[in-house]
Amino acid sequence: MPTVATTVSPSVPDTAPAVSGRAGARPRRSSATLAALPLLVFVTVFFGLPMVAVGVGAVTVTDRATDTTTLTADNLTRSVQGAYLDALTSSINLSLITAALGVVLGTLLAQAVVASRLPGLRNLVVTASGVLANFGGVPLAFAFIATLGISGVMTELLNLTEAGWSLYTPAGLAVVYLYFLIPLMVLVIAPALDGLRPQWREAAANCGATGWQFWRLIGLPVLGPSLLGGFVLLFGTAFAAYATAAAMVGSVLPLVTLQIADALSGNVLIGQEGVASALALDMVIVAGLVMAVYLPLQRRSARWLR
Amino acid sequence: MAALTRRTRVWHGLVLALFGLYFAAPLVASFVFTVDVPGQGLTGQAYADILGAPGFTDGLGLSLLLAVATIVLVLALVVPAMVAVRLRPGRLGSVIEVLCTLPLVVPPIAFVAGIGSILRLGPDRLSDTPLYQTFLAVQDERFPVALVLSYTVLALPFVFRSLDSGLRAIDVPTLTEAARNCGASWWQVLVRVLLPNLRSSLAGAAFLTLALVLGEYTIARILTFETFPVWIVKVSGSEARLSVAVSLLSLLITWLLLLALSSAGTRAKTASEE
């Protein structure tokens, strides 16, 4: 069928000059859908089905003896009790703290870079941030173990162990997470800081505003959506992080990602799979709420940054 | 006023120096860790051992193979869909944008929980149907198709963003009209007109996918395939120095690759603005 269309198409302008141009140059709506169909089917099957499986696994339980599947709220209730609840709350706490630190430190760095007015430095930092923000994982964890671990170079050099330092604590994990969270914040906030026109500052100064008044009445309201959006994005990233934590602390610390991994791959106790699905569903719900806050904020801040 | 600017400049310099220290320290310290062996002095042995380490070539080979397969699959799926949407703007465009962004919302560990449940269906429910063979085939450890499919899903947001910015920079309808009016077939339009114009964003999408697959740990670990990162973690138990040396090299190579890519991107952008 496509070969026929190919051989015929050169003669189309001759036989139907009235429909040449736009009509001939655009695919029909049906063929546009056809070109997008493989992607739509792929995402539905290979992303949609696993997500449905998580949902179904979270609310059902299968009795292997009788091979019957029944609807239950047990998995979900168990996933928000006891050790699982601890893991969920400590994951959320760690993510909240690292996200807050990341927002403050990232904004500081971005402000220092943007205000330095050195275009080379700005490009370098933004480019490096794009790289650092996305790709850490296992290698990053080992770099930090070699640096701040029990026999790490800095630990021995500065006698940190005697000072009470341990990398394998929430504080240690936070130091590692910030290595990719700060660059992520720089990426989010740098365009917003660029959008704060120097003219606004001059205008405010001409009207007699102090620096504090400028930030309180103009700067922060304009940056607000980006700051909040950045916080939410950082929270989501820290919350979902697994590779770094797993390579560093194994399952020493209670984190929800580590708990899911244990339940999935560890000694498979009966019902563990259901709890893994329930925990995964909890995570998706938290991450989904986070994105539901982030996307409208991003759109709002985009208005100021044209 | 002058005093104020000097104070701000000192403050900025201090901030930048502190951040520079924080970001450089792990890299420098890791390097020191790998070459300074207590009792032996300075040695490059850890780096010399990498190539001969058991499992290194297998792990890296598997990761590279998965990366190539993922790049081919993700581009074959996304490029036609996004070009079609440019030519026929409508609701389909936002559907594709949402679908390609969704994998960002779902943490990989939650995603793999779902994949695990699906893969368990094979032995549990379908062991006497022909589909069972398919379930076994996608989990072949020499070439785990299950990982390619999962990584394609994870790569969608990156590929979408890269191609979206590339397509924004060219006028797809005009190029297509011109080519079509000259008698080009749809296939010719795509291969000879649009793809060459999208070269840099296609390369960007491919590099990002490569970096993603080479570094991906969560899914491979849970589905128990020994890819490169899984191998690094496995070897770390017995050979700490070796694992740090490999980590450092893979970080540097990934970063150089991506730095080269993004600086090429900015150069192209400034060139087109001038």
Side-chain angles (χ1 to χ4, degrees):
Chain A
M1 199 59 191
T3 44
V4 176
T6 318
T7 47
V8 169
S9 59
S11 64
V12 165
D14 301 330
T15 51
V19 293
S20 70
R22 293 230 152 228
R26 297 229 163 172
R28 275 185 296 273
R29 190 162 290 280
S30 58
S31 43
T33 316
L34 201 66
L37 200 61
L39 179 68
L40 301 180
V41 171
F42 181 90
V43 176
T44 313
V45 173
F46 296 108
F47 184 64
L49 281 188
M51 287 300 104
V52 170
V54 166
V56 171
V59 297
T60 58
V61 63
T62 303
D63 188 339
R64 283 188 190 262
T66 57
D67 197 30
T68 47
T69 303
T70 43
L71 214 59
T72 172
D74 280 2
N75 296 329
L76 282 171
T77 356
R78 275 178 68 194
S79 78
V80 290
Q81 278 174 357
Y84 294 122
L85 181 64
D86 290 346
L88 203 58
T89 44
S90 69
S91 268
I92 291 178
N93 281 341
L94 179 68
S95 310
L96 283 176
I97 292 168
T98 49
L101 282 171
V103 166
V104 173
L105 295 172
T107 309
L108 233 107
L109 175 59
Q111 169 64 21
V113 169
V114 169
S116 74
R117 304 272 161 87
L118 298 169
L121 181 71
R122 187 193 182 282
N123 281 346
L124 178 78
V125 171
V126 169
T127 307
S129 296
V131 174
L132 289 171
N134 289 316
F135 303 93
V138 171
L140 185 64
F142 284 115
F144 266 97
I145 289 173
T147 311
L148 289 167
I150 291 171
S151 57
V153 171
M154 299 263 279
T155 319
E156 295 190 338
L157 199 69
L158 305 173
N159 270 328
L160 288 176
T161 313
E162 281 165 34
W165 166 258
S166 167
L167 185 64
Y168 312 103
T169 57
L173 214 50
V175 170
V176 182
Y177 278 15
L178 284 174
Y179 204 83
F180 53 81
L181 292 179
I182 292 175
L184 192 58
M185 190 62 201
V186 170
L187 287 184
V188 173
I189 203 74
L193 287 170
D194 286 337
L196 274 185
R197 308 266 143 66
Q199 293 91 316
W200 296 353
R201 194 159 202 166
E202 286 156 18
N206 285 342
C207 296
T210 61
W212 163 243
Q213 279 175 321
F214 168 77
W215 281 111
R216 188 168 58 90
L217 297 170
I218 300 165
L220 283 180
V222 172
L223 289 185
S226 302
L227 287 172
L228 204 54
F231 176 77
V232 160
L233 188 66
L234 265 57
F235 174 86
T237 309
F239 188 61
Y242 166 72
T244 319
M248 266 176 58
V249 298
S251 41
V252 177
L253 289 180
L255 288 179
V256 67
T257 48
L258 300 176
Q259 295 271 12
I260 295 177
D262 273 2
L264 281 175
S265 61
N267 1 321
V268 181
L269 300 169
I270 300 298
Q272 287 286 81
E273 295 154 20
V275 173
S277 296
L279 284 170
L281 188 63
D282 294 344
M283 282 196 84
V284 173
I285 291 170
V286 173
L289 287 176
V290 155
M291 278 294 154
V293 177
Y294 172 65
L295 291 176
L297 282 176
Q298 198 194 25
R299 230 160 266 153
R300 225 190 115 178
S301 65
R303 267 197 317 201
W304 291 99
L305 306 176
R306 297 191 186 286
Chain B
M1 197 65 194
L4 189 77
T5 30
R6 209 172 76 215
R7 215 179 68 200
T8 353
R9 208 173 292 158
V10 169
W11 179 80
H12 286 158
L14 195 70
V15 168
L16 290 174
L18 282 177
F19 277 106
L21 206 64
Y22 171 66
F23 284 105
L27 303 177
V28 176
S30 305
F31 182 70
V32 171
F33 182 81
T34 53
V35 295
D36 182 21
V37 183
Q40 285 181 36
L42 293 183
T43 164
Q45 195 57 40
Y47 292 90
D49 286 346
I50 291 177
L51 275 181
F56 169 74
T57 40
D58 291 346
L60 189 59
L62 178 59
S63 281
L64 286 173
L65 182 69
L66 290 171
V68 171
T70 307
I71 290 169
V72 170
L73 180 59
V74 78
L75 290 181
L77 287 171
V78 177
V79 171
M82 288 188 70
V83 168
V85 163
R86 288 278 150 178
L87 291 171
R88 268 278 173 208
R91 233 180 336 162
L92 195 59
S94 28
V95 170
I96 286 179
E97 182 174 358
V98 168
L99 283 184
C100 288
T101 318
L102 268 182
L104 274 187
V105 181
V106 175
I109 190 83
F111 180 44
V112 76
I115 299 170
S117 324
I118 298 268
L119 288 177
R120 264 196 309 277
L121 281 181
D124 283 2
R125 310 251 155 221
L126 310 165
S127 46
D128 39 3
T129 63
L131 245 136
Y132 184 47
Q133 292 306 321
T134 321
F135 271 78
L136 287 185
V138 298
Q139 295 182 76
D140 183 347
E141 50 183 67
R142 276 162 304 166
F143 182 62
V145 178
L147 282 188
V148 175
L149 298 172
S150 317
Y151 290 170
T152 304
V153 170
L154 294 190
L156 281 176
F158 295 97
V159 172
F160 176 83
R161 252 184 283 164
S162 182
L163 283 176
D164 191 49
S165 64
L167 283 166
R168 250 172 237 283
I170 61 173
D171 187 349
V172 181
T174 308
L175 282 175
T176 312
E177 267 170 44
R180 287 289 283 166
N181 288 341
C182 293
S185 70
W186 282 112
W187 179 249
Q188 284 171 321
V189 171
L190 188 66
V191 174
R192 312 233 340 234
V193 178
L194 293 178
L195 291 189
N197 274 301
L198 290 171
R199 212 180 297 137
S200 74
S201 72
L202 285 171
F207 273 127
L208 288 172
T209 309
L210 177 72
L212 178 104
V213 175
L214 284 185
E216 206 288 328
Y217 175 70
T218 311
I219 293 177
R221 149 85 219 285
I222 301 289
L223 300 183
T224 64
F225 293 110
E226 199 169 310
T227 56
F228 185 53
V230 176
W231 174 79
I232 298 183
V233 174
K234 199 180 106 181
V235 86
S236 71
S238 52
E239 312 225 21
R241 241 164 271 283
L242 180 75
S243 70
V244 173
V246 176
S247 298
L248 194 57
L249 278 184
S250 80
L251 275 183
L252 290 181
I253 291 171
T254 317
W255 289 349
L256 284 180
L257 206 74
L258 292 164
L259 275 179
L261 170 76
S262 53
S263 58
T266 35
R267 213 175 303 136
K269 209 189 285 167
T270 40
S272 67
E273 275 164 9
E274 279 161 12

